[in-house]
Amino acid sequence: MKKWRYTLMLAAVFFLASCQSAQQTNTVSEIIVIEGATVIDGVSDTPIEDAIIVIVGDTIQSIGKRGSLEPPPGARTINAAGKTILPGMFHLHGHVAMSEGFDRRMENYTRERIQRDANSYLYYGITHSISLGLDQEPMLGFLADQRAGRAGGARLYSAGLGFAAKDGWQPAGVEEINRPTTPEEARALVRKELEKHPDVLKIWVDDRLGELPKITPELYGAIIDEAHKNNVKVLAHMFYLEDAKELMRRGVDALAHSVRDKEVDEEFLALAKEHGVTQVATLVGHYGNLTYPQDTSFLDDPGVPLMVPADALETLRSKEYQNQQAQSPTRERSRRQYETALKNTAAIAAAGIPIAIGTDSSGASRVQGLWEHREMEHLVKAGLTPMQAIQAATANGAKLLGVDDKYGTLEPGKVADFVVLNANPLSDITNSLQIDAVWMDGKPVNRAALGHYGSGAN
Ligand SMILES: [Zn+2]
């Protein structure tokens, strides 16, 4: 009861404070009560059935089982019986604006397409998304504008331009990533990159199965160390078990792919624990073209015609395209790598190492926003429970990004960002796509306005 009275008192104080400021600004913080839903708060392993959420302005003021707290006077009540509510989702590994349908190149990288992609993520309830390693202007201007409230969509984060070996890994479409040759140069390039205020940094540690030079531990060690001196985290693209281990010894904060050459061993698990590393499994990215031709139900999602240009969608739906993907000469290799990634994800989850969501989403064949839901499906396929997959997509991402004081869970004092579902994903994780509404900053998002292509009616 005491807690209940305290909550009411807080509500009154908050309400009065908003009325006072309203005299100056002419806006009153509305109080909204959402009643009757099943709430997965991102923290607890048990959902709150028949919940009540009290939202004041953009903030969750209180949350609990209905009857455990009294709705404050003057609140607008929304009946959400039969719905399930999740925190807004976090995505740590995608690439914005590079693609128009299947066409991926630097010329596509415009402000309009950055906004398009931020909107696509938000349509699907991804409220936070990192663009990992290919960003320059106009992204920096977009981020400044978004953070000043002048641009909408999912809250985007950027790793600026990433780091790789000289003559080494070449991300499709981008020439000018950082390619240091000495530790001193690596540190200087990190400092230069940090002048653009990226949220995290990205390193590619990969030789494309022996074809290319790979950045050395000495160089990426210097990059990680210099970033950490400036309180910036580092995520790494990697492929091999031995590289993942060395990255962890050198202090990397997150692995942005799964280890795909071997099964992870005790030493890997011990290093991940010792260094507090987050595993961004990116399973749906590794699954890639194995999707075709048997696993294409995502094409029927009502958001797809809004987010994929009509000609590209026609191609994705065509038997020719699907058969072509199914007959790819690298298919068996991809399958082995994906199956290794699945096993590794299971072992990492069982060891209690945090897993977060990444997808490599970008372009027509990896629909931004939708792919993050598919990643949860793959995590469940790996052996995580639906609850663990949801925590990976919410609280774990917020922690890695360092914004868990405000986002990632549904708790008093957190920003009211959440996804309202028509079906419960704990009974079937694919129910996470049964989206009824997306809320951001305590307000429902106009999802219909977020589509970029077509009407969705066809
Ligand atoms: Zn990537």
Side-chain angles (χ1 to χ4, degrees), residues 93-95 132 202 237 257 360:
H93 181 188
H95 302 282
L132 205 55
K202 161 86 174 269
H237 164 117
H257 289 271
D360 243 337

Side-chain angles (χ1 to χ4, degrees), residues 60-278:
I60 296 170
Q61 193 205 58
S62 50
I63 182 163
K65 208 170 166 56
R66 186 144 59 167
S68 70
L69 50 104
E70 191 72 19
R76 179 160 70 88
T77 300
I78 296 169
N79 177 9
K83 312 284 186 196
T84 302
I85 296 180
L86 315 177
M89 289 166 59
F90 278 71
H91 169 233
L92 307 186
H93 181 188
H95 302 282
V96 295
M98 300 297 302
S99 299
E100 179 65 36
F102 289 96
D103 176 44
R104 181 181 166 102
R105 55 199 163 102
M106 207 54 223
E107 286 74 17
N108 290 330
Y109 190 82
T110 61
R111 167 112 184 188
E112 188 195 14
R113 289 195 183 88
I114 295 169
Q115 184 67 69
R116 173 199 67 184
D117 294 351
N119 289 352
S120 188
Y121 285 121
L122 185 59
Y123 175 90
Y124 284 104
I126 319 302
T127 50
H128 293 72
S129 184
I130 302 185
S131 174
L132 205 55
L134 306 177
D135 292 323
Q136 44 203 321
E137 289 299 1
M139 180 66 154
L140 306 177
F142 175 86
L143 291 175
D145 280 353
Q146 192 179 50
R147 284 160 199 194
R150 294 190 294 267
R155 298 179 179 88
L156 295 187
Y157 295 79
S158 174
L161 285 173
F163 293 75
K166 187 169 190 304
D167 304 320
W169 188 266
Q170 180 58 60
V174 179
E175 304 293 330
E176 309 144 40
I177 61 169
N178 295 293
R179 300 187 185 278
T181 54
T182 65
E184 296 69 34
E185 195 191 352
R187 288 180 187 276
L189 285 170
V190 168
R191 288 193 295 271
K192 198 163 160 243
E193 200 58 45
L194 293 181
E195 283 170 16
K196 298 184 257 172
H197 306 293
D199 303 284
V200 294
L201 289 181
K202 161 86 174 269
I203 312 173
W204 282 272
V205 184
D206 201 337
D207 62 2
R208 207 183 284 280
L209 299 174
E211 286 172 15
L212 297 169
K214 191 162 67 178
I215 191 166
T216 62
E218 191 190 22
L219 292 177
Y220 64 67
I223 292 165
I224 295 167
D225 186 59
E226 194 65 29
H228 286 180
K229 276 187 188 160
N230 290 280
N231 297 315
V232 172
K233 290 182 181 172
V234 180
L235 290 85
H237 164 117
M238 32 40 79
F239 177 87
Y240 301 101
L241 176 63
E242 288 311 317
D243 288 335
K245 286 184 188 174
E246 191 56 27
L247 277 158
M248 293 195 283
R249 288 185 200 107
R250 305 266 175 172
V252 80
D253 299 281
L255 301 171
H257 289 271
S258 291
V259 167
R260 284 158 284 162
D261 65 322
K262 287 180 185 157
E263 289 183 33
V264 297
D265 55 15
E266 287 304 322
E267 188 186 23
F268 173 99
L269 299 174
L271 282 165
K273 280 188 182 170
E274 183 190 338
H275 295 279
V277 173
T278 298

